[in-house]
mmCIF file of all heavy atoms in Angstrom:
data_model
loop_
_atom_site.group_PDB
_atom_site.id
_atom_site.type_symbol
_atom_site.label_atom_id
_atom_site.label_comp_id
_atom_site.label_asym_id
_atom_site.label_seq_id
_atom_site.Cartn_x
_atom_site.Cartn_y
_atom_site.Cartn_z
ATOM 1 N N ILE A 102 3.977 15.370 -20.292
ATOM 2 C CA ILE A 102 3.893 15.360 -18.841
ATOM 3 C C ILE A 102 2.530 15.903 -18.419
ATOM 4 O O ILE A 102 1.992 16.816 -19.045
ATOM 5 C CB ILE A 102 5.039 16.174 -18.199
ATOM 6 C CG1 ILE A 102 5.066 15.972 -16.681
ATOM 7 C CG2 ILE A 102 4.942 17.648 -18.566
ATOM 8 C CD1 ILE A 102 6.304 16.565 -16.011
ATOM 9 N N SER A 103 1.978 15.328 -17.372
ATOM 10 C CA SER A 103 0.702 15.788 -16.848
ATOM 11 C C SER A 103 0.674 15.564 -15.348
ATOM 12 O O SER A 103 1.481 14.799 -14.804
ATOM 13 C CB SER A 103 -0.469 15.059 -17.524
ATOM 14 O OG SER A 103 -0.405 13.660 -17.300
ATOM 15 N N ARG A 104 -0.242 16.233 -14.675
ATOM 16 C CA ARG A 104 -0.370 16.048 -13.238
ATOM 17 C C ARG A 104 -1.834 16.065 -12.833
ATOM 18 O O ARG A 104 -2.673 16.681 -13.495
ATOM 19 C CB ARG A 104 0.410 17.114 -12.459
ATOM 20 C CG ARG A 104 -0.090 18.538 -12.633
ATOM 21 C CD ARG A 104 0.885 19.547 -12.031
ATOM 22 N NE ARG A 104 0.839 19.545 -10.569
ATOM 23 C CZ ARG A 104 1.716 20.189 -9.796
ATOM 24 N NH1 ARG A 104 2.721 20.866 -10.350
ATOM 25 N NH2 ARG A 104 1.594 20.148 -8.476
ATOM 26 N N ASP A 105 -2.116 15.371 -11.747
ATOM 27 C CA ASP A 105 -3.443 15.349 -11.155
ATOM 28 C C ASP A 105 -3.273 15.877 -9.742
ATOM 29 O O ASP A 105 -2.810 15.161 -8.856
ATOM 30 C CB ASP A 105 -4.019 13.935 -11.156
ATOM 31 C CG ASP A 105 -5.451 13.888 -10.673
ATOM 32 O OD1 ASP A 105 -5.858 14.748 -9.871
ATOM 33 O OD2 ASP A 105 -6.187 12.966 -11.104
ATOM 34 N N ASN A 106 -3.625 17.127 -9.545
ATOM 35 C CA ASN A 106 -3.398 17.757 -8.248
ATOM 36 C C ASN A 106 -4.229 17.129 -7.129
ATOM 37 O O ASN A 106 -3.802 17.097 -5.976
ATOM 38 C CB ASN A 106 -3.686 19.252 -8.343
ATOM 39 C CG ASN A 106 -2.685 19.976 -9.223
ATOM 40 O OD1 ASN A 106 -1.516 19.594 -9.310
ATOM 41 N ND2 ASN A 106 -3.138 21.035 -9.888
ATOM 42 N N ALA A 107 -5.415 16.636 -7.470
ATOM 43 C CA ALA A 107 -6.263 16.011 -6.466
ATOM 44 C C ALA A 107 -5.665 14.703 -5.969
ATOM 45 O O ALA A 107 -5.880 14.314 -4.815
ATOM 46 C CB ALA A 107 -7.666 15.779 -7.021
ATOM 47 N N GLU A 108 -4.921 14.011 -6.835
ATOM 48 C CA GLU A 108 -4.343 12.720 -6.480
ATOM 49 C C GLU A 108 -2.862 12.808 -6.135
ATOM 50 O O GLU A 108 -2.251 11.793 -5.793
ATOM 51 C CB GLU A 108 -4.531 11.729 -7.621
ATOM 52 C CG GLU A 108 -5.989 11.444 -7.964
ATOM 53 C CD GLU A 108 -6.721 10.726 -6.854
ATOM 54 O OE1 GLU A 108 -6.064 9.991 -6.077
ATOM 55 O OE2 GLU A 108 -7.952 10.893 -6.743
ATOM 56 N N ASN A 109 -2.275 13.991 -6.236
ATOM 57 C CA ASN A 109 -0.851 14.190 -5.964
ATOM 58 C C ASN A 109 0.022 13.296 -6.854
ATOM 59 O O ASN A 109 0.977 12.672 -6.387
ATOM 60 C CB ASN A 109 -0.521 13.931 -4.487
ATOM 61 C CG ASN A 109 -1.071 14.991 -3.555
ATOM 62 O OD1 ASN A 109 -1.218 14.754 -2.362
ATOM 63 N ND2 ASN A 109 -1.377 16.166 -4.081
ATOM 64 N N THR A 110 -0.323 13.245 -8.127
ATOM 65 C CA THR A 110 0.438 12.426 -9.057
ATOM 66 C C THR A 110 0.940 13.253 -10.232
ATOM 67 O O THR A 110 0.350 14.270 -10.601
ATOM 68 C CB THR A 110 -0.393 11.263 -9.609
ATOM 69 O OG1 THR A 110 -1.550 11.767 -10.284
ATOM 70 C CG2 THR A 110 -0.827 10.326 -8.493
ATOM 71 N N VAL A 111 2.021 12.784 -10.814
ATOM 72 C CA VAL A 111 2.535 13.326 -12.058
ATOM 73 C C VAL A 111 2.861 12.138 -12.948
ATOM 74 O O VAL A 111 3.351 11.113 -12.470
ATOM 75 C CB VAL A 111 3.767 14.230 -11.839
ATOM 76 C CG1 VAL A 111 4.917 13.454 -11.199
ATOM 77 C CG2 VAL A 111 4.207 14.874 -13.147
ATOM 78 N N SER A 112 2.556 12.269 -14.231
ATOM 79 C CA SER A 112 2.768 11.180 -15.165
ATOM 80 C C SER A 112 3.589 11.647 -16.353
ATOM 81 O O SER A 112 3.662 12.840 -16.648
ATOM 82 C CB SER A 112 1.428 10.629 -15.660
ATOM 83 O OG SER A 112 0.672 10.087 -14.597
ATOM 84 N N LEU A 113 4.203 10.696 -17.016
ATOM 85 C CA LEU A 113 4.956 10.970 -18.231
ATOM 86 C C LEU A 113 4.576 9.931 -19.263
ATOM 87 O O LEU A 113 4.928 8.754 -19.124
ATOM 88 C CB LEU A 113 6.467 10.922 -17.968
ATOM 89 C CG LEU A 113 7.359 11.326 -19.138
ATOM 90 C CD1 LEU A 113 7.216 12.817 -19.439
ATOM 91 C CD2 LEU A 113 8.814 10.980 -18.848
ATOM 92 N N GLN A 114 3.827 10.355 -20.270
ATOM 93 C CA GLN A 114 3.475 9.487 -21.379
ATOM 94 C C GLN A 114 4.599 9.554 -22.400
ATOM 95 O O GLN A 114 4.906 10.628 -22.914
ATOM 96 C CB GLN A 114 2.156 9.920 -22.013
ATOM 97 C CG GLN A 114 1.730 9.083 -23.213
ATOM 98 C CD GLN A 114 1.406 7.659 -22.846
ATOM 99 O OE1 GLN A 114 0.723 7.410 -21.860
ATOM 100 N NE2 GLN A 114 1.897 6.708 -23.631
ATOM 101 N N MET A 115 5.202 8.412 -22.696
ATOM 102 C CA MET A 115 6.339 8.347 -23.593
ATOM 103 C C MET A 115 5.958 7.537 -24.826
ATOM 104 O O MET A 115 5.685 6.336 -24.726
ATOM 105 C CB MET A 115 7.551 7.725 -22.896
ATOM 106 C CG MET A 115 7.939 8.432 -21.608
ATOM 107 S SD MET A 115 9.471 7.776 -20.880
ATOM 108 C CE MET A 115 8.918 6.127 -20.447
ATOM 109 N N ASN A 116 5.934 8.193 -25.966
ATOM 110 C CA ASN A 116 5.608 7.551 -27.230
ATOM 111 C C ASN A 116 6.819 7.570 -28.159
ATOM 112 O O ASN A 116 7.756 8.332 -27.965
ATOM 113 C CB ASN A 116 4.430 8.252 -27.906
ATOM 114 C CG ASN A 116 3.163 8.208 -27.089
ATOM 115 O OD1 ASN A 116 2.894 7.237 -26.381
ATOM 116 N ND2 ASN A 116 2.350 9.262 -27.200
ATOM 117 N N SER A 117 6.757 6.745 -29.188
ATOM 118 C CA SER A 117 7.828 6.673 -30.187
ATOM 119 C C SER A 117 9.192 6.548 -29.530
ATOM 120 O O SER A 117 10.142 7.265 -29.865
ATOM 121 C CB SER A 117 7.777 7.908 -31.097
ATOM 122 O OG SER A 117 6.529 8.011 -31.749
ATOM 123 N N LEU A 118 9.295 5.633 -28.598
ATOM 124 C CA LEU A 118 10.523 5.489 -27.821
ATOM 125 C C LEU A 118 11.693 5.041 -28.680
ATOM 126 O O LEU A 118 11.535 4.256 -29.619
ATOM 127 C CB LEU A 118 10.303 4.515 -26.674
ATOM 128 C CG LEU A 118 9.519 5.107 -25.500
ATOM 129 C CD1 LEU A 118 8.940 4.008 -24.623
ATOM 130 C CD2 LEU A 118 10.424 6.026 -24.677
ATOM 131 N N LYS A 119 12.857 5.560 -28.338
ATOM 132 C CA LYS A 119 14.096 5.279 -29.039
ATOM 133 C C LYS A 119 15.092 4.641 -28.079
ATOM 134 O O LYS A 119 15.006 4.844 -26.869
ATOM 135 C CB LYS A 119 14.695 6.573 -29.597
ATOM 136 C CG LYS A 119 13.768 7.362 -30.502
ATOM 137 C CD LYS A 119 14.397 8.687 -30.888
ATOM 138 C CE LYS A 119 13.483 9.496 -31.789
ATOM 139 N NZ LYS A 119 14.096 10.801 -32.148
ATOM 140 N N PRO A 120 16.059 3.892 -28.601
ATOM 141 C CA PRO A 120 17.070 3.306 -27.716
ATOM 142 C C PRO A 120 17.775 4.347 -26.846
ATOM 143 O O PRO A 120 18.123 4.041 -25.700
ATOM 144 C CB PRO A 120 18.046 2.642 -28.692
ATOM 145 C CG PRO A 120 17.191 2.262 -29.850
ATOM 146 C CD PRO A 120 16.207 3.397 -29.990
ATOM 147 N N GLU A 121 17.963 5.549 -27.356
ATOM 148 C CA GLU A 121 18.626 6.589 -26.588
ATOM 149 C C GLU A 121 17.783 7.118 -25.432
ATOM 150 O O GLU A 121 18.275 7.902 -24.616
ATOM 151 C CB GLU A 121 19.071 7.749 -27.483
ATOM 152 C CG GLU A 121 17.989 8.276 -28.401
ATOM 153 C CD GLU A 121 18.072 7.690 -29.803
ATOM 154 O OE1 GLU A 121 18.234 6.467 -29.929
ATOM 155 O OE2 GLU A 121 17.980 8.473 -30.775
ATOM 156 N N ASP A 122 16.517 6.703 -25.351
ATOM 157 C CA ASP A 122 15.683 7.044 -24.203
ATOM 158 C C ASP A 122 15.952 6.126 -23.010
ATOM 159 O O ASP A 122 15.426 6.367 -21.921
ATOM 160 C CB ASP A 122 14.196 6.960 -24.562
ATOM 161 C CG ASP A 122 13.789 8.004 -25.586
ATOM 162 O OD1 ASP A 122 14.244 9.156 -25.481
ATOM 163 O OD2 ASP A 122 12.999 7.656 -26.493
ATOM 164 N N THR A 123 16.730 5.084 -23.214
ATOM 165 C CA THR A 123 17.038 4.147 -22.141
ATOM 166 C C THR A 123 17.754 4.858 -21.003
ATOM 167 O O THR A 123 18.783 5.502 -21.206
ATOM 168 C CB THR A 123 17.902 2.996 -22.661
ATOM 169 O OG1 THR A 123 17.161 2.243 -23.626
ATOM 170 C CG2 THR A 123 18.326 2.070 -21.525
ATOM 171 N N ALA A 124 17.207 4.746 -19.808
ATOM 172 C CA ALA A 124 17.759 5.427 -18.642
ATOM 173 C C ALA A 124 16.937 5.058 -17.417
ATOM 174 O O ALA A 124 15.870 4.449 -17.526
ATOM 175 C CB ALA A 124 17.733 6.946 -18.838
ATOM 176 N N VAL A 125 17.445 5.451 -16.263
ATOM 177 C CA VAL A 125 16.641 5.434 -15.056
ATOM 178 C C VAL A 125 15.918 6.768 -14.985
ATOM 179 O O VAL A 125 16.547 7.826 -15.074
ATOM 180 C CB VAL A 125 17.484 5.216 -13.791
ATOM 181 C CG1 VAL A 125 16.611 5.281 -12.548
ATOM 182 C CG2 VAL A 125 18.205 3.872 -13.866
ATOM 183 N N TYR A 126 14.611 6.718 -14.841
ATOM 184 C CA TYR A 126 13.793 7.921 -14.798
ATOM 185 C C TYR A 126 13.401 8.218 -13.355
ATOM 186 O O TYR A 126 12.918 7.344 -12.633
ATOM 187 C CB TYR A 126 12.543 7.750 -15.656
ATOM 188 C CG TYR A 126 12.822 7.870 -17.133
ATOM 189 C CD1 TYR A 126 13.553 6.889 -17.795
ATOM 190 C CD2 TYR A 126 12.374 8.973 -17.859
ATOM 191 C CE1 TYR A 126 13.840 7.004 -19.140
ATOM 192 C CE2 TYR A 126 12.651 9.086 -19.208
ATOM 193 C CZ TYR A 126 13.384 8.105 -19.847
ATOM 194 O OH TYR A 126 13.656 8.228 -21.188
ATOM 195 N N TYR A 127 13.600 9.468 -12.949
ATOM 196 C CA TYR A 127 13.335 9.895 -11.589
ATOM 197 C C TYR A 127 12.253 10.964 -11.553
ATOM 198 O O TYR A 127 12.273 11.904 -12.347
ATOM 199 C CB TYR A 127 14.596 10.477 -10.942
ATOM 200 C CG TYR A 127 15.732 9.500 -10.789
ATOM 201 C CD1 TYR A 127 16.678 9.338 -11.795
ATOM 202 C CD2 TYR A 127 15.866 8.744 -9.630
ATOM 203 C CE1 TYR A 127 17.725 8.448 -11.662
ATOM 204 C CE2 TYR A 127 16.912 7.850 -9.479
ATOM 205 C CZ TYR A 127 17.841 7.710 -10.503
ATOM 206 O OH TYR A 127 18.884 6.827 -10.357
ATOM 207 N N CYS A 128 11.358 10.820 -10.619
ATOM 208 C CA CYS A 128 10.355 11.831 -10.350
ATOM 209 C C CYS A 128 10.895 12.811 -9.321
ATOM 210 O O CYS A 128 11.583 12.413 -8.373
ATOM 211 C CB CYS A 128 9.083 11.159 -9.827
ATOM 212 S SG CYS A 128 7.777 12.277 -9.293
ATOM 213 N N SER A 129 10.601 14.081 -9.493
ATOM 214 C CA SER A 129 11.027 15.100 -8.554
ATOM 215 C C SER A 129 9.885 16.077 -8.300
ATOM 216 O O SER A 129 9.071 16.328 -9.187
ATOM 217 C CB SER A 129 12.243 15.853 -9.101
ATOM 218 O OG SER A 129 12.694 16.832 -8.184
ATOM 219 N N ALA A 130 9.849 16.607 -7.089
ATOM 220 C CA ALA A 130 8.812 17.573 -6.751
ATOM 221 C C ALA A 130 9.329 18.559 -5.726
ATOM 222 O O ALA A 130 10.053 18.189 -4.798
ATOM 223 C CB ALA A 130 7.567 16.873 -6.217
ATOM 224 N N ASN A 131 8.968 19.808 -5.910
ATOM 225 C CA ASN A 131 9.210 20.841 -4.911
ATOM 226 C C ASN A 131 7.942 20.950 -4.087
ATOM 227 O O ASN A 131 6.878 21.242 -4.624
ATOM 228 C CB ASN A 131 9.553 22.165 -5.589
ATOM 229 C CG ASN A 131 9.812 23.268 -4.594
ATOM 230 O OD1 ASN A 131 8.911 24.028 -4.250
ATOM 231 N ND2 ASN A 131 11.045 23.368 -4.120
#
C-alpha cells in the first residue's frame, strides 16, 4: 500500500495473486 498526499490518492500493488484474493476491493479514508 502507498499514498500520494499531494494527489490525494492511495494505491494497492498486488503481486503473486491467488484465487482466494478474488473479492470486491474497497477504498476507505478517514
Side-chain angles (χ1 to χ4, degrees):
I102 189 171
S103 61
R104 65 190 286 170
D105 186 332
N106 293 329
E108 299 294 332
N109 290 160
T110 59
V111 61
S112 297
L113 186 68
Q114 178 66 45
M115 305 185 294
N116 298 326
S117 301
L118 283 161
K119 304 174 180 179
E121 50 263 46
D122 294 319
T123 296
V125 177
Y126 284 69
Y127 297 90
C128 174
S129 181
N131 180 266

